[in-house]
Amino acid sequence: MSARTTEEITSAIRAAVQAAVWAPSVHNTQPWSFAVDGEEIALRADSDRKLRLGDAAGREMLISCGAALMNVRLTLSALGWQPHVRVLPDPDRPALLATVRMGEAVVADEHTRLLHAEIERRRTHRAGFTDLPVPERLIEALVAQAQAEGARLTPVRSEAAVRVLAALTCAAQDVQSQDRLLTLEMISWAQPPGSSRGDGVPAQGYPREPRRTSPHFAQRDYAHGHPWGSDADQFFAASTGTVAVLTTPADAREDWITAGQALQRVLLHASAYDVHAAFHTQALEMVHLREFLREELLSGRHPQMIMRLGYTSDDSEGIRRPVTDLLKER
């Protein structure tokens, strides 16, 4: 096997970092940075972008970074290099979440190429879905994707359990909306129309007047009294979709990174079949509600993400910061 050239290394590393930035993150905070040293990429958590009130422990920040790590892995694999990953490699550097080194040459399989092709196409949805159900075979495939990363995706089959999740989401949203400081933190990541920012939630990224689904899962109020939002897709967006919960057996920092990688693998596989996801983290941001879900609905497993899956004609554009803003000195 011939040695790879500097140009090949540089091209693959840059492509991997460029792909990483398209990962989903809470409020599109993009709480990550990268450093490159030869054939190795270091992924760091950017604590300046952590939600200090809504995500004090950094759980959602690390899930977001885990999703970015999955994009790095997939991109190197798709380009023909085996990624060698070390998660939390240095206890004395807690912000260093992972290192990924380019390994031996490999031939990407069809599924890797399928997932990689969805990285920039995948979008977060923030409304209801059409009445078209997600096929059971696809749901089973998404469960397998999460399992491959060491997490569990549980489709919620019981109507009563769906109602519980919806009710807790609405209750948490109502409580959080009464917290002035929490609200200010959230809307600091909301963009007004015409904004040129490369982060946060754009004004066209959520419905102007969301239709209530049954049962209803409350959405974040990014507009906060402003006439912002999109009118697209509202006539058909009245279905809750398929509700699912992503869980891990433990709840340490490594588990949160695992959850992020599993989440992104699920989302990319779903996107390949035109299925979108809507996230609901409100109840998971409240300790007592999260623990209630763990004990009463999830057999002791730790909930990392509540989501709805379904079909939509939403074709909104994603926004990301340029790679040059994310590369830091090693």
Side-chain angles (χ1 to χ4, degrees):
M1 182 181 68
S2 61
R4 48 188 169 238
T5 66
T6 300
E7 184 179 350
E8 286 176 322
I9 294 170
T10 301
S11 177
I13 292 291
R14 185 171 183 83
V17 175
Q18 181 65 64
V21 308
W22 286 99
S25 58
V26 55
H27 304 331
N28 197 23
T29 49
Q30 304 171 44
W32 44 60
S33 67
F34 305 89
V36 175
D37 184 5
E39 300 181 11
E40 185 175 271
I41 301 170
L43 166 64
R44 298 170 175 169
D46 186 345
S47 59
D48 289 340
R49 291 175 167 271
K50 185 180 80 169
L51 304 176
R52 302 195 180 280
L53 298 177
D55 184 32
R59 184 183 65 86
E60 291 178 276
M61 178 178 68
L62 264 62
I63 290 175
S64 303
C65 290
L69 176 59
M70 172 55 67
N71 283 1
V72 171
R73 289 171 50 198
L74 283 170
T75 300
L76 292 180
S77 295
L79 293 176
W81 306 108
Q82 179 67 45
H84 293 299
V85 181
R86 295 175 63 205
V87 174
L88 300 177
D90 188 347
D92 294 328
R93 300 166 66 192
L96 178 60
L97 302 185
T99 58
V100 186
R101 177 170 288 275
M102 293 174 64
E104 61 276 15
V106 295
V107 177
D109 59 34
E110 183 179 354
H111 188 247
T112 296
R113 294 195 299 269
L114 176 79
L115 297 183
H116 179 255
E118 296 300 317
I119 287 176
E120 293 190 28
R121 180 173 176 265
R122 181 215 61 84
R123 294 289 182 271
T124 299
H125 189 57
R126 297 183 178 87
F129 295 106
T130 69
D131 290 330
L132 184 65
V134 180
E136 187 61 32
R137 184 174 178 180
L138 178 54
I139 294 295
E140 292 174 359
L142 298 180
V143 170
Q145 295 303 305
Q147 187 175 16
E149 294 299 326
R152 180 183 296 173
L153 182 70
T154 302
V156 184
R157 311 293 190 186
S158 163
E159 292 184 6
V162 171
R163 289 196 298 271
V164 169
L165 288 168
L168 291 179
T169 298
C170 290
Q173 175 66 29
D174 284 344
V175 169
Q176 291 178 342
S177 67
Q178 300 304 307
D179 187 320
R180 179 175 175 274
L181 293 180
L182 196 65
T183 298
L184 288 174
E185 179 178 66
M186 182 196 70
I187 63 176
S188 70
W189 293 101
Q191 296 184 11
S195 172
S196 60
R197 281 175 56 180
D199 58 9
V201 180
Q204 296 302 305
Y206 50 86
R208 189 188 311 273
E209 296 182 6
R211 297 184 64 182
R212 290 184 64 87
T213 59
S214 182
H216 182 61
F217 281 75
Q219 296 287 334
R220 305 279 191 179
D221 181 15
Y222 290 107
H224 197 59
H226 297 284
W228 300 346
S230 171
D231 293 320
D233 200 33
Q234 287 306 288
F235 181 76
F236 300 103
S239 172
T240 300
T242 297
V243 178
V245 182
L246 184 74
T247 63
T248 53
D251 200 34
R253 297 176 81 232
E254 185 172 359
D255 300 290
W256 300 342
I257 297 171
T258 292
Q261 294 182 85
L263 175 65
Q264 181 66 344
R265 183 175 282 274
V266 167
L267 297 177
L268 294 175
H269 190 98
S271 179
Y273 294 91
D274 295 322
V275 170
H276 287 64
F279 305 131
H280 298 279
T281 58
Q282 297 97 317
L284 304 185
E285 294 166 357
M286 304 184 73
V287 175
H288 300 304
L289 294 185
R290 187 167 180 246
E291 185 65 13
F292 173 83
L293 286 172
R294 185 182 75 84
E295 292 182 350
E296 301 298 333
L297 290 186
L298 301 171
S299 303
R301 292 180 64 88
H302 297 270
Q304 305 296 351
M305 182 61 70
I306 298 170
M307 69 186 88
R308 297 181 296 110
L309 300 163
Y311 294 97
T312 172
S313 60
D314 182 6
D315 60 353
S316 58
E317 295 186 2
I319 57 167
R320 292 297 186 274
R321 292 184 291 158
V323 169
T324 51
D325 289 355
L326 306 173
L327 288 171
K328 309 296 182 182
E329 295 294 329
R330 191 69 181 263

